Amino acid sequence: MLKYILRRIILAIPVLLGVSIVSFMIISLAPGDFLDSYRLNPAVSADQVKNLEKRFGLDKSPVVQYFIWLKNILKGDWGDSFTYQIPVWDLIWRRVGATLLLSITTFIFTWGIGIPLGIYAALHQYSLGDQIVGVIGFIGLSIPNFFFALLFLFFAAKTGGKIFPVGGYISLGYDSFPAWKKFLDILWHVLGPMITLGTSGLAGTMRVMRGQLLDELKQDYVEFARAKGMPENVVIYKHALRNAINPIITALGFSISGLLGGAVLTENVFGWPGMGQLIIEALLQQDIFVIMADIMLASVLLVLGNLIADILLAAVDPRVRLRLG
Amino acid sequence: MSEPVLIVENLKTYFDIAEGTVKAVNGVSFTLNKNESLGVVGETGSGKSVTMKTIMGLIKKPGYIPEGKILFHTDEFSKDGKKEYIDLTKLPPHQFTRIRGRHIAMIFQDPMTSLNPMYTVADQMIETIMYHQNVSELEARKRAIELLRKVGIPNADKRIDDYPFQFSGGQRQRIVIAIGLSCNPELLIADEPTTALDVTIQAQILELMKDLQNEFNTAMIYITHDLSVVAEIADKVMVMYGGMQMEMADVNTIFEKPTHPYTNMLLNCIPRHDAKKEDLEPIPGQPPIMLDPPNLCPFLPRCPRATDRCRKELAEFKEVEPEHFVRCWNPVADTRMEGDK
């Protein structure tokens, strides 16, 4: 198993290298660069632009730029953001907390509600409850996030911001709060974006869980467990559910890759200072090092997420476990 | 001398679906004695599996039992040694778990999918034994290993901790049989247990089942569409078609004096070593779908011997000679298979 993990990690290196080359290429292929806004600005002289080009390394060819970037990374230097003039990691690091808080709570919301609802729907197939659960799921899936977010804010504002906060990350008096209240305040603010993102993901989780369990309930071993005289809850929860949960666990590993992705539209509407907004800004301004750092971060998480998914699957499925040795 | 374990009387199982009522089992009656084995033969869709699932209490909505009795005898439910029968059609579902696995066991067709891939063989055997017999886990494990030895799994004490996918198909069917017999049931229902296995393994499994039946004194119902398997294992044969019994007799009578045209034709379409035949004769047509069927012989559309009477009323399931029942207005006379000449 350890050998397998090590092999996977080594195999990840060429993958990440490939990702970096392709994405650097694509960014370079886009017309113009960060300094275009300066070039068009009559207040900035051509000499100044030249100086800046030199400073940022934009005067060299994209290939050379890439290798300089790669060399610096190997030394642990991810470059500075053009816009903010601070190291890229400092910039990202500031957003990580808010992003993680949002994605983890959303994750708990989606899975914590989606899985039990999916199980319920499967066990009561075609019943009224199943239909209602399905409809709720699809409503969540069908309403665009930005619109749902607006509705949510509208509701929050109409109720005077007492039930839910009207956007933002922290309350006005945040700095004067004691520690426990600070914590609660942030949690209170995360509710809005969390419910928005969570309801849209709910349908997927629910339908997968429902479908999986229904499939397993039709299997011979379930009927055989009944024929052995096992009571219905043993048949369902020990035999069928144990098999139905496998693909869910794989999906769980995959969702790790999305933890730091951020959600552009929802963050925007709620004024949530997450990663999504940072990335969009960087893309629009062609702030190449920020974009690259984010792409690499996402890629590493994707590779890691896949690996974790496989390890989790091996942990729950003896067939996979014994094949990996 | 005869000790009936199971008496089925006019059993019906219907399924109400949007298009109408499917009469999957339509008035089946038979008696099964201790240590006797009954072979149930029929094409796909003849209702043989549904009959057995009904006996097992495994029929779920939209299926229901509009009529009939399933009388089952077990000492556990008979007080003071008096012989009593319980009617399984009236048993509430939660009490059925005391019957299933404990007194009536069932083995399914495909051993590759009968065992849960996620649990070890030990786990799946021990859960059954512990649930029904109220013994410690250690004791249950001991019994499980003993059973595995009996069904011929080598190194049973080690292999018991393996997962199902680490066994071959034949071995898995042996394990399934071991689980079926783990609580020493009075009745074992085998639903085509050798269909998914290759021929050599098939013979081994049949041999094993016969041996175990004698050892455990179990009554057995053996569902199959393979008449050679029936000849091998059954004492009594029941031929089903369209949810009804067509013919029932002891195994020799069925093979030597098949009286119902359907039985006759079935025997004509399998190769036999005791009767030389140039061509096998397939039965033309398709088995019927029992959706709102008319109250007539279901074999009528395919029957070459159909008469006007067949088109008007359904024949009774009559005893034409002792222990030989036939449902037909125009049975094949004494001669052995007309096609033979």
Side-chain angles (χ1 to χ4, degrees), chain A residues 191-254:
Chain A
L191 283 176
M194 177 194 87
I195 292 172
T196 307
L197 289 173
T199 44
S200 68
L202 204 57
T205 314
M206 225 164 62
R207 296 313 273 190
V208 170
M209 187 68 234
R210 178 181 182 272
Q212 283 298 330
L213 189 54
L214 280 175
D215 273 355
E216 292 303 327
L217 285 171
K218 281 190 213 104
Q219 297 294 319
D220 284 352
Y221 68 83
V222 170
E223 193 79 339
F224 186 61
R226 284 203 184 99
K228 287 197 303 186
M230 292 296 112
E232 202 57 21
N233 53 6
V234 174
V235 172
I236 291 168
Y237 294 104
K238 178 175 175 185
H239 288 280
L241 194 60
R242 185 70 170 69
N243 281 274
I245 211 88
N246 284 356
I248 304 275
I249 285 172
T250 315
L252 202 133
F254 285 133

Side-chain angles (χ1 to χ4, degrees), chain B residues 31-67:
Chain B
T31 303
L32 189 65
N33 292 325
K34 205 171 166 181
N35 207 5
E36 192 177 38
S37 48
L38 170 73
V40 182
V41 190
E43 285 169 76
T44 306
S46 61
K48 48 196 188 343
S49 288
V50 180
T51 310
M52 298 313 144
K53 283 195 173 162
T54 311
I55 294 172
M56 289 293 282
L58 290 175
I59 296 297
K60 284 185 297 281
K61 272 190 213 164
Y64 63 100
I65 307 168
E67 218 183 308

Side-chain angles (χ1 to χ4, degrees), chain B residues 239 241 244-248 257-265 296-300 302-311 313-320 324-333 338:
Chain B
V239 179
Y241 190 88
M244 290 180 191
Q245 291 158 294
M246 294 287 113
E247 186 164 2
M248 184 162 70
K257 275 197 292 186
T259 306
H260 195 281
Y262 179 60
T263 319
N264 215 313
M265 291 171 85
L296 292 172
C297 174
F299 191 56
L300 179 66
R302 299 168 78 185
C303 186
R305 299 179 60 88
T307 61
D308 281 345
R309 196 166 183 197
C310 298
R311 295 187 181 89
E313 53 182 329
L314 178 67
E316 295 260 310
F317 195 48
K318 265 203 325 256
E319 195 163 12
V320 290
H324 185 181
F325 297 82
V326 181
R327 186 195 293 280
C328 192
W329 292 125
N330 187 16
V332 181
E338 294 177 326

Side-chain angles (χ1 to χ4, degrees), chain B residues 14-23 62 64 290-293:
Chain B
Y14 292 177
F15 292 85
D16 278 342
I17 57 173
E19 290 82 5
T21 302
V22 176
K23 300 186 174 176
Y64 63 100
M290 301 311 291
L291 185 64
D292 293 323

Side-chain angles (χ1 to χ4, degrees), chain A residues 224, chain B residues 101 104-107 175-185 187-188:
Chain A
F224 186 61
Chain B
I104 306 179
M106 190 159 176
I107 299 170
I175 294 167
V176 169
I177 292 170
I179 293 176
L181 292 172
S182 62
C183 298
N184 204 352
L187 173 61
L188 178 68

Side-chain angles (χ1 to χ4, degrees), chain A residues 233-302:
Chain A
N233 53 6
V234 174
V235 172
I236 291 168
Y237 294 104
K238 178 175 175 185
H239 288 280
L241 194 60
R242 185 70 170 69
N243 281 274
I245 211 88
N246 284 356
I248 304 275
I249 285 172
T250 315
L252 202 133
F254 285 133
S255 62
I256 290 173
S257 55
L259 282 183
L260 285 179
V264 181
L265 293 176
T266 312
E267 282 177 10
N268 229 322
V269 177
F270 280 102
W272 187 262
M275 209 79 107
Q277 293 205 57
L278 179 71
I279 302 314
I280 275 295
E281 212 175 279
L283 274 172
L284 290 176
Q285 307 209 354
Q286 297 197 321
D287 198 343
I288 193 160
F289 294 145
V290 177
I291 303 172
M292 283 310 291
D294 182 66
I295 289 176
M296 293 322 289
L297 184 66
S299 312
V300 168
L301 279 175
L302 185 71

